[in-house]
Amino acid sequence: MHSSSRRLLAAVSLSTVVAVVGTACSSGAGSTDAKDADSGTYTIWDPYPQFAKGSAWTKLLDKCGTQAGVKVQRTGYDTSDLANKTLLAAQQGNSPDVLIVDNPVVSTLAEAGVLTTTDENKLDTSKVDPNLLAAGQSGGKTYGTPIGANTLALYYNKEVLKEAGVDIASVKDWKSLTAALAKVKKAGKKGITFSAIGTEEGSFQFLPWFWGSGAQLTQVDSAEAVSALSLWKGWLDKGYAPNSVINNTQTTSWQEFAGGDYAFAENGTWQLAGAEKAGFDYGVLPVPGSGGGSAAAPTGGEFVTLPVQEDTGRYTTSQKLAACLTSTQNLYDTDTTLSYVAPTGEVQDKQVAANPALKPWVEAVKAAKGRTSGDLGTKYPKISEQLWKAVQSALSGAKPPKDALASAQAAVK
């Protein structure tokens, strides 16, 4: 362990962290317990404040502590608070032993010298799907293991499509999806709703179309990227998507779909419970690529990481706690509770066997990729901000898609 040589770039990291957290997970209020001085107590920080003492999640943490022979002191923070508190704790030499954190933040914390690598902490990631593990990689090193993943796909209302004479099997690419939206509008129903708000949520929802065009985040003004933004703009111009998407969060766009008049909604795994309660027959389709196949959608979900400790003797027990939390049975239970898709094929198969409705979500997660993958790391938030600004600019009519994305690329450079 070379913790003494690591530099804490907290000032840079704080602004970066605030920009990327909180897109695809829950939030709430948290407390601020510091690490117990007693070496028999190990601290775990997580972004699940909605799970109170006595919940399945806290019971699992206690069980893993018992198996490791230690007491667990757990604090649940709001997602954005957690990232910032982690950086401050690292500066003060008071990091938690185990940190569960939103996946785009991992590279930021890693670059700030806050996290140990899997080479150092001996976490086993051999069963994890490589595309999910990539979100926790930076500079050729891996800094944790995913506890589960969520992503985006298209929910569709079977009744609306039937009335419009649309066979969902015909929707295979952008052309056939747009043709379906035209039929839906002609039948007097509403087409598609999504979130294009000027925040990370807007970028998160645009990325499947951006990546589905073949575009890369290193070149946001490519012809492919322009085609993706032109697709969305065309839908608004033709009335296939409502102007409300410009201000929609993922929650408000879901509420539009849940009203029962829309054929399609782009949304996430976390809306499955809401879909069951919506009162109409629905299906799920991976977001199609421009020329067919499943587009890569961005991964949400958290990583289990082990922060750097001054007392390196703590790592052995911390590793036992992390291994327990990510064991096959515990992943299955936790990911069922969180409405996540598991990060390993073994557990994914078990999830689909128990709930066949998860099959399209497993397919979407297998095609998904991390927002910070490809060593984008802390560059991602800067690119994302310009991307959502370009989307806003184009959809509002302030600039044509090509000009909006050219401005975004210039700002990123």
Side-chain angles (χ1 to χ4, degrees), residues 232-302:
W232 271 18
K233 175 62 173 158
W235 288 348
L236 263 69
D237 290 347
K238 289 175 182 149
Y240 300 163
N243 286 324
S244 58
V245 299
I246 295 171
N247 297 311
N248 269 350
T249 63
Q250 294 180 109
T251 301
T252 53
S253 79
W254 178 259
Q255 288 162 350
E256 289 178 337
F257 179 68
D261 291 329
Y262 280 89
F264 296 93
E266 181 186 2
N267 227 296
T269 345
W270 55 92
Q271 301 292 9
L272 274 172
E276 296 294 336
K277 292 176 192 161
F280 53 79
D281 206 5
Y282 76 94
V284 178
L285 181 75
V287 175
S290 61
S294 297
T299 54
E302 291 79 40

Side-chain angles (χ1 to χ4, degrees), residues 1 6 35 42-45 86 95-101 106 109-110 113-124 142-145 303-309 312 314-326:
M1 177 58 50
R6 308 207 181 199
K35 184 186 293 187
Y42 278 66
T43 51
I44 297 180
W45 289 3
T86 299
S95 292
D97 291 290
V98 177
L99 173 70
I100 300 163
V101 68
V106 174
L109 295 178
V114 174
L115 304 178
T116 60
T117 68
T118 50
D119 286 341
E120 293 162 339
N121 60 40
K122 308 303 179 210
L123 270 179
D124 180 13
T142 305
Y143 288 90
T145 189
F303 265 62
V304 180
T305 66
L306 303 186
V308 171
Q309 303 293 337
T312 56
R314 298 182 73 83
Y315 295 136
T316 304
T317 299
S318 298
Q319 189 271 344
K320 285 180 187 169
L321 292 171
C324 174
L325 292 175
T326 55

Side-chain angles (χ1 to χ4, degrees), residues 26 48 50-52 54-60 74 147-150 269-273 302 329-342 347 351 355 358:
S26 309
Y48 314 129
Q50 69 272 30
F51 297 126
S55 65
W57 171 246
T58 60
K59 283 178 181 171
L60 171 61
R74 173 258 180 174
I147 201 162
N150 54 39
T269 345
W270 55 92
Q271 301 292 9
L272 274 172
E302 291 79 40
Q329 184 58 45
N330 290 339
L331 275 180
Y332 177 77
D333 293 340
T334 299
D335 290 336
T336 301
T337 300
L338 295 171
S339 281
Y340 280 3
V341 171
V347 184
Q351 287 181 301
N355 180 7
L358 285 175

Side-chain angles (χ1 to χ4, degrees), residues 16 25 30 33 37 41 55 57 70 98 113 149 159 165 182 273 284 294 296 307 355 360 371 411:
T16 306
C25 44
D33 296 334
T41 299
S55 65
W57 171 246
V70 295
V98 177
E159 292 163 30
V284 178
S294 297
N355 180 7
R371 286 163 273 174

Side-chain angles (χ1 to χ4, degrees), residues 61-401:
L61 295 179
D62 289 339
K63 183 177 90 171
C64 288
T66 302
Q67 286 178 10
V70 295
K71 184 179 173 226
V72 163
Q73 184 178 36
R74 173 258 180 174
T75 310
Y77 289 104
D78 174 89
T79 301
S80 53
D81 282 349
L82 177 59
N84 296 334
K85 282 189 164 58
T86 299
L87 285 162
L88 293 171
Q91 283 180 304
Q92 294 158 1
N94 194 29
S95 292
D97 291 290
V98 177
L99 173 70
I100 300 163
V101 68
D102 199 19
N103 77 65
V105 180
V106 174
S107 57
T108 297
L109 295 178
E111 286 184 36
V114 174
L115 304 178
T116 60
T117 68
T118 50
D119 286 341
E120 293 162 339
N121 60 40
K122 308 303 179 210
L123 270 179
D124 180 13
T125 59
S126 59
K127 290 182 180 177
V128 178
D129 287 353
N131 66 315
L132 300 181
L133 192 61
Q137 293 172 328
S138 180
K141 293 177 177 166
T142 305
Y143 288 90
T145 189
I147 201 162
N150 54 39
T151 194
L152 297 166
L154 295 180
Y155 286 86
Y156 58 90
N157 184 322
K158 292 183 180 180
E159 292 163 30
V160 170
L161 292 181
K162 189 177 177 184
E163 283 178 40
V166 174
D167 175 8
I168 194 64
S170 72
V171 178
K172 292 182 158 74
D173 52 23
W174 291 2
K175 189 178 177 182
S176 52
L177 175 57
T178 302
L181 295 175
K183 279 188 174 181
V184 168
K185 190 189 177 198
K186 197 175 177 185
K189 292 289 189 179
K190 296 175 179 176
I192 186 167
T193 180
F194 48 87
S195 166
I197 193 169
T199 68
E200 176 62 21
E201 283 190 65
S203 292
F204 189 73
Q205 291 241 320
F206 183 57
L207 278 173
W209 311 95
F210 180 88
W211 282 332
S213 73
Q216 302 291 328
L217 285 170
T218 48
Q219 190 68 37
V220 299
D221 63 347
S222 65
E224 293 85 358
V226 172
S227 73
L229 190 46
S230 299
L231 179 75
W232 271 18
K233 175 62 173 158
W235 288 348
L236 263 69
D237 290 347
K238 289 175 182 149
Y240 300 163
N243 286 324
S244 58
V245 299
I246 295 171
N247 297 311
N248 269 350
T249 63
Q250 294 180 109
T251 301
T252 53
S253 79
W254 178 259
Q255 288 162 350
E256 289 178 337
F257 179 68
D261 291 329
Y262 280 89
F264 296 93
E266 181 186 2
N267 227 296
T269 345
W270 55 92
Q271 301 292 9
L272 274 172
E276 296 294 336
K277 292 176 192 161
F280 53 79
D281 206 5
Y282 76 94
V284 178
L285 181 75
V287 175
S290 61
S294 297
T299 54
E302 291 79 40
F303 265 62
V304 180
T305 66
L306 303 186
V308 171
Q309 303 293 337
E310 287 176 11
D311 177 4
T312 56
R314 298 182 73 83
Y315 295 136
T316 304
T317 299
S318 298
Q319 189 271 344
K320 285 180 187 169
L321 292 171
C324 174
L325 292 175
T326 55
S327 71
T328 297
Q329 184 58 45
N330 290 339
L331 275 180
Y332 177 77
D333 293 340
T334 299
D335 290 336
T336 301
T337 300
L338 295 171
S339 281
Y340 280 3
V341 171
T344 68
E346 183 184 8
V347 184
Q348 289 166 1
D349 291 345
K350 197 173 173 183
Q351 287 181 301
V352 172
N355 180 7
L358 285 175
K359 191 169 189 292
W361 289 108
V362 169
E363 287 173 19
V365 163
K366 282 190 178 298
K369 62 182 179 181
R371 286 163 273 174
T372 58
S373 297
D375 259 351
L376 274 184
T378 52
K379 295 183 195 129
Y380 171 73
K382 301 176 184 82
I383 297 166
S384 173
E385 183 179 358
Q386 295 309 320
L387 200 58
W388 81 59
K389 284 179 176 175
V391 168
Q392 288 269 300
S393 184
L395 298 191
S396 67
K399 286 182 182 175

